[in-house]
Amino acid sequence: MGDVNLFFNKSFFHKGILEFELSGSKSLSQRVIIINYLQKSTCEIKNLSNSEDTLVLLKALSSKENIINLKQSGSAMRFLISLFAYEKRSIILEGDESLLKRPVSSLINSVNMLGGNILKNNNRILIKQSGSLIGKKVSFDASPTSQFISSLLLISPYIKNGIDIMFDSNIYSKSYIDMTTSLMKQCGAKLKINKNQIRVFESIYTKSIGFIESDWTSASYLFLAFLFSKIQKIKIKFLSRDSLQGDSVIVDFFSLFGILSTFDDNVLLLEKQEVFQKPAKIEWNFSDHPDLFPSILVACFGSGVELLAYGLSTLRHKESNRIISMKNELLKFNGLLEIKTEDSVCLKRSNMVLDSQSIRINPHKDHRVVLSLAPLSLLGFDLKINNPTVINKSYPNFFNDLTKFGVLIDQ
């Protein structure tokens, strides 16, 4: 697919409730795939994520090749480092140039300490055949990603003597560690969890998981499009009030903009309040849900609300430096994002500029940049998006879903 143009159909009208069926959570899918793989389960996983990241992981696990290309999937890279070391396989992991610039050294060092033999060499990770991994205490101080911990946790029941993981009590994205341990317990692993310590006892997984809840991070872009649209009600399938996904907190955020959320048998109904007072300024801590930063940022920008955001330090290590990418793209709309510290930014209230010319969006090779900015077409912006297929990394069907709100797509 070449560049695409997005613009709003001013004559669009829809009566009734729009319905959406999202693919399964990328984070849940990848963890369940590893758990089911370790117990050699043949269980079919329904509503599995159709994201490119998930397809990359599945292909890697079924591959008989010694060299595996992971493209841009940081989660697949981190989960497979531990898994292949446990399996004592000689494997070379490679991918896009940006992939090997993402943090991984702390995980490699930890696996090597357990008995692995792994070396990072330029744009490759060499996993060499070694002896069995032996469990011991592993510490992560100020880890730049919780995926290091989840990677080790997922294989830990199969490590001799289990494993004892210590981590900083203020670690970012702890909700993803909680997701991992919850799934492990559901599948029969034996764990003892304290505030900043997880002890996993040697055992095996005894139960498999066959259904994946829809992706709450992807849902945030539907919340965003709904906010900017003329639609009054939408339904999104397979989302739970008691979700393991930390990004379900998006319900609380959008309630500040008059969007009511109700659940009926794992179907989420969104409805706009007729009368509400939007805030002039919002302060939001993203420590446990950093992936929501782009959608929340654009919601505030499009609504003329000032945002003070903190808990952002991990965003430097995403597919792009996501803070810089969003800052540069919002400037094209007359949006001013001021970087306060390494951890915090402030979005100033500003007047959006509607230009008769197209605004060209540079994805910065980052799917969440495109997913968050595309709904601005519903406010009257004519957007031209370079390399739109970048969204396949997490939400390949997004542009089709966006058309349901009245957005026209010209390729």
Side-chain angles (χ1 to χ4, degrees), residues 22-250:
L22 288 174
S23 172
S25 158
K26 183 162 70 83
S27 298
L28 286 172
S29 292
Q30 292 182 315
R31 287 160 172 79
V32 168
I33 286 169
I34 297 294
I35 289 173
N36 286 7
Y37 174 87
L38 282 166
Q39 59 183 302
K40 297 180 173 56
S41 171
T42 58
C43 170
E44 178 187 358
I45 305 173
K46 295 181 179 179
N47 201 38
L48 190 70
S49 170
N50 64 357
S51 66
E52 184 176 65
D53 276 7
T54 302
L55 297 177
V56 163
L57 179 62
L58 285 170
K59 185 177 179 180
L61 290 175
S62 63
S63 175
K64 303 300 181 183
E65 302 295 326
N66 291 328
I67 300 177
I68 296 177
N69 190 321
L70 301 178
K71 298 184 178 181
Q72 254 199 337
S73 181
S75 52
M77 173 180 67
R78 291 160 186 149
F79 290 167
L80 289 172
I81 283 172
S82 298
L83 179 66
F84 287 153
Y86 158 72
E87 290 189 317
K88 298 185 265 189
R89 291 175 62 179
S90 293
I91 293 286
I92 296 174
L93 301 179
E94 59 183 21
D96 293 358
E97 183 180 352
S98 60
L99 176 66
L100 273 297
K101 292 180 180 178
R102 301 180 68 176
V104 73
S105 58
S106 294
L107 175 60
I108 290 175
N109 292 339
S110 296
V111 176
N112 284 344
M113 187 180 71
L114 298 176
N117 186 0
I118 306 171
L119 174 68
K120 181 175 181 290
N121 183 11
N122 295 324
N123 286 329
R124 285 183 159 192
I125 294 175
L126 313 178
I127 304 174
K128 300 180 181 181
Q129 189 171 8
S130 60
S132 298
L133 300 184
I134 306 295
K136 59 179 68 174
K137 285 189 177 181
V138 179
S139 295
F140 290 97
D141 296 324
S143 174
T145 171
S146 64
Q147 286 179 356
F148 293 173
I149 296 172
S150 288
S151 174
L152 282 178
L153 283 172
L154 287 167
I155 67 161
S156 57
Y158 292 78
I159 295 178
K160 185 177 181 180
N161 301 327
I163 197 169
D164 197 349
I165 297 180
M166 307 282 293
F167 52 89
D168 193 301
S169 57
N170 296 317
I171 192 168
Y172 285 90
S173 301
K174 186 175 181 297
S175 61
Y176 288 95
I177 299 173
D178 296 338
M179 174 192 290
T180 303
T181 56
S182 293
L183 290 171
M184 290 173 65
K185 287 190 287 187
Q186 285 181 38
C187 294
K190 298 176 175 60
L191 298 84
K192 182 178 181 181
I193 303 173
N194 294 320
K195 184 177 180 181
N196 63 334
Q197 180 179 11
I198 302 173
R199 174 79 172 103
V200 184
F201 299 93
E202 184 179 355
S203 59
I204 58 172
Y205 294 122
T206 57
K207 298 178 183 177
S208 55
I209 291 177
F211 183 82
I212 305 296
E213 180 190 20
S214 291
D215 193 276
W216 271 102
T217 323
S218 296
S220 74
Y221 309 114
L222 293 181
F223 273 79
L224 187 56
F226 178 58
L227 174 67
F228 293 159
S229 76
K230 299 179 180 180
I231 303 297
Q232 295 302 307
K233 294 181 182 180
I234 68 171
K235 286 183 178 180
I236 310 174
K237 290 185 176 180
F238 310 132
L239 291 174
S240 170
R241 184 192 304 274
D242 301 317
S243 177
L244 292 179
Q245 300 176 64
D247 286 0
S248 61
V249 73
I250 204 71

